[in-house]
Amino acid sequence: MVIMLTVLESLQLSTEYLEKKGIDSARMNAELLLADILNCGRLDLYLRFEQPLTDEEKSIYRDFISRRAKNEPLQYIIGNVEFFGMHFIVNENVLIPRQETEILVEKIIENNKNDSLRILDIGTGSGCIALSLAKNLPECSVTAIDISREALKVAWKNQKHHEIENCELKQFDIMSDDVSTLGKFDMIVSNPPYVPEDDYKGLQKEIVLHEPRIALTDDADGYKFYSRISNIAAKLLMAGGSLYFESGDGMAEKIGDVMKDHGLKNIKYHKDYLDISRVVEGQV
Ligand code: GLN
């Protein structure tokens, strides 16, 4: 017997299933996954409630829902995420770009419009920071580095997709490679792994089971990369050059202190939409 399932029936069954599996916002997840398969907006589904799903659509939807039920983030299932008005390809080799990271990009663009700067992005992951800066600051040239070759493959795809020419991607380990080979820059930007080792296990299942651990925790107190990057900033930056960090929740003040300890000046803090100090900047 062939079972006909309409959009509405599929949504109801999937929502119930996701709820049973303890997934938050089950209906919203069910809708977004189906809208992706039907290649329409989420709200367009409401105009198509009576439309039957084809066998192929049903089988893809079943697969998507069972992955989401196992806590796989929606963004990895769909394979892309919107960041700073651009679509970025993502997979389990890169951290999913977060909305709060847009504050970092926004601040830098606001402070440096029309400048032609050489910018270094450390730990680029999907390339969301480097490529959104490169696109919005076309006079700048961006170098984006990451230790992970698999992450760089994703960043390369994103660069190609957005046809961005003023960004160069390179594999580099800032802990052990010779930083003098990178050249000199006017700005360093980084959203480093800052979750303290002790907090890592307490993060949501979506994060711990699916996002790359090396993009999230420094396996120490959370400050390892802030300290290393502040330490090498003087070698990498021209006089007066600036360093911009994304800060973990509640970490900004200490990050500022770490920067000062390494000789950075004019430390400034910027808040996100939840009133959390999210960006720390300083100058050499
Ligand atoms: N904002 C991320 C989270 O809390 C962490 C990103 C990072 O370590 N840079 O999940």
Side-chain angles (χ1 to χ4, degrees):
M1 190 182 66
V2 186
I3 306 171
M4 284 273 286
L5 267 186
T6 64
V7 163
L8 180 60
E9 287 161 346
S10 319
L11 283 175
Q12 284 166 339
L13 286 171
S14 307
T15 303
E16 252 170 61
Y17 183 67
L18 291 177
E19 267 168 3
K20 215 164 63 195
K21 296 284 174 180
I23 303 296
D24 289 341
S25 313
R27 172 76 181 204
M28 166 96 99
N29 276 272
E31 289 179 355
L32 288 168
L33 290 169
L34 189 55
D36 184 64
I37 295 166
L38 299 181
N39 214 356
C40 67
R42 184 167 72 91
L43 297 178
D44 296 328
L45 294 174
Y46 286 74
L47 306 172
R48 301 196 189 186
F49 272 168
E50 301 310 321
Q51 179 183 318
L53 297 188
T54 65
D55 286 345
E56 198 194 351
E57 288 162 351
K58 259 190 298 192
S59 107
I60 301 173
Y61 195 39
R62 212 173 289 130
D63 171 55
F64 277 15
I65 291 293
S66 89
R67 288 165 66 184
R68 188 66 195 93
K70 289 182 200 130
N71 301 100
E72 183 170 342
L74 183 93
Q75 295 89 335
Y76 289 149
I77 301 173
I78 289 176
N80 75 79
V81 61
E82 197 181 313
F83 178 86
F84 214 75
M86 294 161 78
H87 279 280
F88 285 91
I89 297 161
V90 290
N91 65 27
E92 295 206 0
N93 295 304
V94 297
L95 187 82
I96 297 167
R98 308 288 204 262
Q99 226 182 337
E100 57 267 28
T101 304
E102 292 178 340
I103 312 279
L104 179 66
V105 172
E106 200 175 87
K107 264 292 148 219
I108 294 174
I109 293 173
E110 194 180 294
N111 291 351
N112 301 281
K113 269 187 211 125
N114 305 323
D115 292 343
S116 66
L117 307 172
R118 283 160 301 171
I119 302 174
L120 175 67
D121 174 24
I122 300 180
T124 199
S126 65
C128 65
I129 295 174
L131 297 171
S132 56
L133 288 177
K135 181 166 180 191
N136 289 283
L137 296 171
E139 303 302 318
C140 293
S141 64
V142 181
T143 300
I145 59 173
D146 205 289
I147 190 174
S148 159
R149 188 148 280 280
E150 293 307 311
L152 286 168
K153 283 187 196 161
V154 177
W156 268 312
K157 280 192 203 154
N158 283 318
Q159 179 178 27
K160 222 167 158 187
H161 175 71
H162 291 288
E163 298 177 357
I164 287 174
E165 287 173 2
N166 54 333
C167 180
E168 183 194 7
L169 297 157
K170 257 191 220 173
Q171 187 182 25
F172 195 87
D173 177 356
I174 55 150
M175 287 303 187
S176 59
D177 291 340
D178 177 6
V179 292
S180 67
T181 62
L182 281 173
K184 286 271 187 188
F185 300 89
D186 304 295
M187 183 193 297
I188 298 173
V189 55
S190 186
N191 172 20
Y194 55 62
V195 177
E197 188 181 21
D198 292 345
D199 296 352
Y200 177 74
K201 280 210 173 66
L203 297 176
Q204 284 173 311
K205 275 193 197 154
E206 272 72 3
I207 300 178
V208 179
L209 296 177
H210 295 279
E211 297 202 66
R213 184 185 168 105
I214 56 160
L216 285 153
T217 178
D218 61 355
D219 284 317
D221 62 356
Y223 295 91
K224 184 163 113 187
F225 290 97
Y226 294 119
S227 171
R228 173 67 180 161
I229 294 168
S230 301
N231 182 26
I232 58 180
K235 264 195 217 137
L236 288 167
L237 288 172
M238 306 294 288
S242 42
L243 170 58
Y244 284 80
F245 279 130
E246 173 170 319
S247 162
D249 187 359
M251 298 171 76
E253 206 174 315
K254 190 156 168 203
I255 294 167
D257 292 344
V258 168
M259 290 165 81
K260 284 180 209 155
D261 288 347
H262 288 284
L264 284 121
K265 303 175 295 242
N266 303 331
I267 308 294
K268 290 190 195 127
Y269 304 87
H270 306 285
K271 291 188 170 170
D272 67 12
Y273 46 86
L274 294 174
D275 218 31
I276 293 167
S277 279
R278 190 53 79 183
V279 174
V280 188
E281 61 162 299
Q283 283 180 309
V284 290

mmCIF file of all heavy atoms in Angstrom, residues 95 98 100 191-194 207 215-216, ligand 1:
data_model
loop_
_atom_site.group_PDB
_atom_site.id
_atom_site.type_symbol
_atom_site.label_atom_id
_atom_site.label_comp_id
_atom_site.label_asym_id
_atom_site.label_seq_id
_atom_site.Cartn_x
_atom_site.Cartn_y
_atom_site.Cartn_z
ATOM 1 N N LEU A 95 33.140 25.158 12.992
ATOM 2 C CA LEU A 95 32.164 25.692 13.939
ATOM 3 C C LEU A 95 31.047 26.384 13.155
ATOM 4 O O LEU A 95 31.317 27.047 12.151
ATOM 5 C CB LEU A 95 32.874 26.735 14.828
ATOM 6 C CG LEU A 95 32.080 27.293 15.995
ATOM 7 C CD1 LEU A 95 32.153 26.310 17.166
ATOM 8 C CD2 LEU A 95 32.631 28.641 16.436
ATOM 9 N N ARG A 98 28.207 31.939 14.604
ATOM 10 C CA ARG A 98 27.229 32.398 15.593
ATOM 11 C C ARG A 98 26.839 33.841 15.312
ATOM 12 O O ARG A 98 27.671 34.631 14.875
ATOM 13 C CB ARG A 98 27.824 32.345 17.005
ATOM 14 C CG ARG A 98 28.440 31.014 17.411
ATOM 15 C CD ARG A 98 27.359 29.973 17.654
ATOM 16 N NE ARG A 98 27.797 28.904 18.538
ATOM 17 C CZ ARG A 98 28.231 27.716 18.148
ATOM 18 N NH1 ARG A 98 28.345 27.429 16.863
ATOM 19 N NH2 ARG A 98 28.571 26.801 19.040
ATOM 20 N N GLU A 100 26.415 36.206 17.400
ATOM 21 C CA GLU A 100 27.174 37.220 18.154
ATOM 22 C C GLU A 100 28.499 37.569 17.477
ATOM 23 O O GLU A 100 29.053 38.644 17.710
ATOM 24 C CB GLU A 100 27.389 36.793 19.621
ATOM 25 C CG GLU A 100 28.084 35.469 19.835
ATOM 26 C CD GLU A 100 27.100 34.308 19.981
ATOM 27 O OE1 GLU A 100 25.984 34.401 19.420
ATOM 28 O OE2 GLU A 100 27.457 33.313 20.643
ATOM 29 N N ASN A 191 38.424 34.789 16.493
ATOM 30 C CA ASN A 191 37.418 34.207 17.399
ATOM 31 C C ASN A 191 37.991 32.847 17.784
ATOM 32 O O ASN A 191 37.672 31.837 17.180
ATOM 33 C CB ASN A 191 36.074 34.069 16.675
ATOM 34 C CG ASN A 191 35.062 33.296 17.495
ATOM 35 O OD1 ASN A 191 35.194 33.167 18.716
ATOM 36 N ND2 ASN A 191 34.048 32.754 16.839
ATOM 37 N N PRO A 192 38.877 32.826 18.775
ATOM 38 C CA PRO A 192 39.604 31.582 19.072
ATOM 39 C C PRO A 192 38.758 30.604 19.893
ATOM 40 O O PRO A 192 37.704 30.989 20.389
ATOM 41 C CB PRO A 192 40.783 32.091 19.908
ATOM 42 C CG PRO A 192 40.230 33.260 20.649
ATOM 43 C CD PRO A 192 39.235 33.905 19.717
ATOM 44 N N PRO A 193 39.209 29.359 20.026
ATOM 45 C CA PRO A 193 38.493 28.443 20.929
ATOM 46 C C PRO A 193 38.673 28.935 22.362
ATOM 47 O O PRO A 193 39.803 29.017 22.826
ATOM 48 C CB PRO A 193 39.220 27.098 20.741
ATOM 49 C CG PRO A 193 40.244 27.310 19.689
ATOM 50 C CD PRO A 193 40.414 28.758 19.452
ATOM 51 N N TYR A 194 37.576 29.295 23.012
ATOM 52 C CA TYR A 194 37.716 29.905 24.344
ATOM 53 C C TYR A 194 36.928 29.221 25.443
ATOM 54 O O TYR A 194 36.875 29.693 26.576
ATOM 55 C CB TYR A 194 37.389 31.397 24.298
ATOM 56 C CG TYR A 194 36.021 31.779 23.718
ATOM 57 C CD1 TYR A 194 34.825 31.362 24.312
ATOM 58 C CD2 TYR A 194 35.940 32.592 22.586
ATOM 59 C CE1 TYR A 194 33.602 31.743 23.788
ATOM 60 C CE2 TYR A 194 34.716 32.979 22.053
ATOM 61 C CZ TYR A 194 33.556 32.550 22.658
ATOM 62 O OH TYR A 194 32.343 32.924 22.136
ATOM 63 N N ILE A 207 26.313 20.746 20.311
ATOM 64 C CA ILE A 207 27.677 21.265 20.195
ATOM 65 C C ILE A 207 28.694 20.152 20.456
ATOM 66 O O ILE A 207 29.576 19.885 19.632
ATOM 67 C CB ILE A 207 27.890 22.444 21.185
ATOM 68 C CG1 ILE A 207 26.892 23.572 20.876
ATOM 69 C CG2 ILE A 207 29.321 22.936 21.134
ATOM 70 C CD1 ILE A 207 26.968 24.764 21.822
ATOM 71 N N ALA A 215 37.676 23.707 17.732
ATOM 72 C CA ALA A 215 37.207 25.070 17.452
ATOM 73 C C ALA A 215 36.568 25.697 18.681
ATOM 74 O O ALA A 215 36.272 26.889 18.695
ATOM 75 C CB ALA A 215 36.207 25.051 16.303
ATOM 76 N N LEU A 216 36.343 24.898 19.709
ATOM 77 C CA LEU A 216 35.580 25.368 20.864
ATOM 78 C C LEU A 216 36.382 25.539 22.141
ATOM 79 O O LEU A 216 36.242 26.525 22.845
ATOM 80 C CB LEU A 216 34.434 24.384 21.142
ATOM 81 C CG LEU A 216 33.274 24.485 20.172
ATOM 82 C CD1 LEU A 216 32.539 23.179 20.056
ATOM 83 C CD2 LEU A 216 32.324 25.595 20.633
HETATM 84 N N1 GLN B 1 30.391 30.931 20.969
HETATM 85 C C1 GLN B 1 30.722 29.535 20.944
HETATM 86 C C2 GLN B 1 29.868 28.792 21.947
HETATM 87 O O1 GLN B 1 29.694 29.242 23.043
HETATM 88 C C3 GLN B 1 32.177 29.301 21.226
HETATM 89 C C4 GLN B 1 33.014 29.748 20.105
HETATM 90 C C5 GLN B 1 34.448 29.785 20.458
HETATM 91 O O2 GLN B 1 34.968 29.069 21.324
HETATM 92 N N2 GLN B 1 35.113 30.630 19.801
HETATM 93 O O3 GLN B 1 29.355 27.746 21.641
#
